[in-house]
Amino acid sequence: MDAEPVVAIGTASDQGRRRNQNEDSVAIPPPNLSVEELSAKGVLCLVADGIGGHKAGKSASELVARRVMEEYYGQPPGDVAGALRRAIRVANTDVFRLAQEPGYEKMGTTIVAAVLHGQTLTVAHVGDSRAYLLSPEQAQLLTRDHTWVTEQIEEGILTQEQADKHAQRHVLTRSLGARPEVLIDVIHTSLRPGDQVLLCSDGLWETVGLGEIEAAARGASPQQAATRLVELANEYGGPDNVTVVLARPDLGPLSPALAVARPGAAGRLGRTVTRILPAGGSARWPLLAAAAVVMVLAVAGALALVLGGIPREAAATPTAASTTTQVVEAGTPLPGPAATVSPGTAPTAPAAVTAPTIFPGKVVATLPLALRQEPQLAGALIGYLDSGATVAVSCRTTGDAVDGDDIWYRVTVEGPNTGYVAARWIELQGAERGTIPACQN
C-alpha cells in the first residue's frame, strides 16, 4: 500500500560565477526522525544566506540551519508557527553571541523556512531570501523582502524599476545576528493538489525571471528542477551564491481543470534521508525526499462555520481560482423554517434588517493578492486579486499573526466572490480604517 502522502524535495546550491565561496546553507529534516515525528510536526525546509564575509557569513548560515532544525523538532507538536518562531529566535541569539567574538563582528544571515504539514503551509522569514507558492495556475510570492529599497517602494519614494538598479538594493533592514531580538514574519496558507513550495536565496530571484522559474519547476522532478534553476542563475552570469529548495507534497490527484501542467509523480522513500546540507562548490545534490506525512482532513464545512457566512452547499474547498462563493453578511436573516401563525391571530411583521455599510477599496499589492476563505491558519484560497482590482469592504477581523495579530478585511469582488484579505494591501476610497466595523462571525 502506498496511500500515505509524501513530500518530495529537491535541493541545489552553488557559489556562482563571481564568488570564491558559498555562504548559503540549506537544511531539510534529518534522517533520524521517525514517521510519527514527521506526521506530528511536518516537514521543515530552510535556506539561509550568510552575510559578513568569507568566514563570518558561512559560519552564520550553517549555525542557523543547524540550530533551527534542532530546535524545531525538539519542541512538542501542536503549534507549528510558535515552534518555528521560537527556533529562529534561539538561532538568532546564538549568532548574535558569536558576532561579539573577534573576526565575527559583522556576521549575520537571512532565513526563509517552510513547514509543510498535511494541507497547511507555514513560512517564516527574516531578510531577503524568498518563498514562492507555485500552483498549477500561477506563482505567488509569499514573503516580503526586508530591505531598504522595499520600504522605499512601499512609501512611494522609489519605483520598482528604480529599486532594481539602486546601489542600496542589497541593504537589509532585518537579519539574524544583528540584534539580540529579531522580528520574524510568519505566513500561513493552504496547499492544494499540484502546489509546490520554492525557497531560494537572492542569487536566484535577482537573476532568473519568474516565468522561467515556473517553467523549470513544472516540467521536471523537484531535484531536476532545483538543479536546473541553479544552472539558469549561472547561465545569466552567476553574480551571487544561489540556493534552491523545491518541495512538492503529494496531496492527491489534480482536478481535471488543473491537470494540464501536472508533472509526473515523484518517487517516495520509506523514511527521510535528508539532512543539513553544507552548500559548497558546484556539486549537484541527489534526489531527496521527506518521509510520509499524515494528511490533514479538509473539513470545509467547519471552515464555513468559522466564517459564519458561507452557505453549506458552497463551502467545499475550492479547486480553482474561479470558484464562486456567496456569503450572507451580518444583519441578513439566515434561511430557516417558515414561521407558523396560530389560527385567529395576526401574523407578526418581520423585524427590520439593517443593510451593512459597504466601503469601496482598491488592491495596492504589486503581486496577486490571495483571497482566503477565512484569515486563520488553514484558510483555503478562493482566488487571487490583481493589483488595482476594486473591492467592497464590509468588516474587519484579526487573522494570521506576524508577531502580533494582523488586521484582515472581509471583501466582495465581482463574481460574486467573498473572502478575506490582509488589510495592509487594501486602500480604502473615501473612508478611514477606523470606521470599518468588526466582523460578526
Side-chain angles (χ1 to χ4, degrees):
M1 295 294 290
D2 192 18
E4 295 176 340
V6 298
V7 179
I9 304 174
T11 69
S13 188
D14 193 80
Q15 69 185 37
R17 299 286 174 82
R18 304 181 192 174
R19 300 294 177 92
N20 53 22
Q21 175 169 301
N22 194 347
E23 296 179 28
D24 289 356
S25 291
V26 56
I28 45 185
N32 60 339
L33 288 181
S34 66
V35 171
E36 291 75 21
E37 287 179 292
L38 287 169
S39 298
K41 299 176 183 178
V43 175
L44 169 61
C45 309
L46 69 85
V47 168
D49 182 355
I51 53 178
H54 177 79
K55 180 180 179 181
K58 181 77 170 176
S59 299
S61 69
E62 289 183 347
L63 174 58
V64 164
R66 181 175 65 254
R67 287 295 281 154
V68 170
M69 193 65 60
E70 292 172 350
E71 288 294 324
Y72 177 78
Y73 283 111
Q75 297 179 57
D79 181 8
V80 171
L84 189 54
R85 186 181 282 114
R86 285 188 291 272
I88 294 174
R89 284 175 173 157
V90 168
N92 178 72
T93 298
D94 288 352
V95 176
F96 180 78
R97 287 173 179 166
L98 184 57
Q100 313 310 307
E101 301 294 328
Y104 294 93
E105 293 88 349
K106 296 182 180 181
M107 79 181 308
T109 184
T110 70
I111 186 173
V112 59
V115 176
L116 293 86
H117 191 215
Q119 292 177 316
T120 299
L121 172 65
T122 302
V123 175
H125 85 291
V126 178
D128 63 353
S129 293
R130 289 183 172 183
Y132 293 86
L133 180 61
L134 307 179
S135 71
E137 305 94 350
Q138 63 183 322
Q140 181 189 8
L141 175 63
L142 297 177
T143 51
R144 169 189 174 273
D145 298 338
H146 300 140
T147 59
W148 179 82
V149 293
T150 297
E151 293 183 353
Q152 300 302 296
I153 292 170
E154 292 175 349
E155 293 175 9
I157 298 173
L158 293 177
T159 65
Q160 184 65 60
E161 292 72 23
Q162 290 172 328
D164 290 342
K165 301 175 182 178
H166 203 283
Q168 304 299 318
R169 65 184 181 278
H170 297 297
V171 174
L172 298 175
T173 55
R174 292 192 219 170
S175 64
L176 297 188
R179 297 180 178 85
E181 300 293 334
V182 64
L183 183 63
I184 305 160
D185 284 3
V186 177
I187 304 100
H188 310 292
T189 192
S190 295
L191 293 168
R192 297 178 297 163
D195 284 348
Q196 299 183 81
V197 179
L198 172 69
L199 308 181
C200 63
S201 60
D202 61 344
L204 178 72
W205 62 261
E206 280 202 328
T207 309
V208 183
L210 188 54
E212 288 180 286
I213 291 175
E214 288 186 85
R218 289 173 178 161
S221 72
Q223 183 55 49
Q224 290 170 333
T227 300
R228 179 56 185 153
L229 288 171
V230 169
E231 291 173 347
L232 281 171
N234 282 329
E235 287 173 10
Y236 287 121
D240 199 357
N241 304 154
V242 55
T243 299
V244 174
V245 174
L246 191 64
R248 180 184 299 164
D250 179 6
L251 298 177
L254 292 169
S255 67
L258 305 182
V260 177
R262 185 185 184 189
R268 61 170 300 198
L269 299 181
R271 59 180 289 129
T272 313
V273 293
T274 54
R275 56 188 60 84
I276 299 171
L277 305 175
S282 57
R284 299 292 183 257
W285 301 106
L287 178 63
L288 299 167
V293 181
V294 173
M295 183 180 296
V296 175
L297 295 177
V299 186
L303 292 177
L305 291 177
V306 173
L307 259 181
I310 297 181
R312 294 180 185 275
E313 64 271 16
T317 302
T319 56
S322 60
T323 302
T324 299
T325 307
Q326 293 182 340
V327 169
V328 180
E329 293 289 355
T332 302
L334 297 175
T340 59
V341 180
S342 302
T345 62
T348 303
V353 176
T354 303
T357 302
I358 301 299
F359 303 86
K362 183 177 70 172
V363 176
V364 294
T366 57
L367 291 164
L369 179 65
L371 180 67
R372 305 243 310 256
Q373 240 181 22
E374 47 95 6
Q376 301 302 327
L377 175 64
L381 292 175
I382 295 173
Y384 294 93
L385 307 180
D386 294 327
S387 178
T390 57
V391 297
V393 178
S394 59
C395 60
R396 61 179 170 81
T397 188
T398 54
D400 291 340
V402 181
D403 279 293
D405 289 333
D406 281 352
I407 300 300
W408 287 65
Y409 288 153
R410 182 187 290 169
V411 306
T412 302
V413 294
E414 292 182 1
N417 281 330
T418 298
Y420 290 86
V421 296
R424 64 180 179 274
W425 299 120
I426 298 295
E427 181 181 84
L428 297 175
Q429 308 293 299
E432 299 293 332
R433 291 184 182 271
T435 63
I436 305 299
C439 296
Q440 302 300 315
N441 290 335

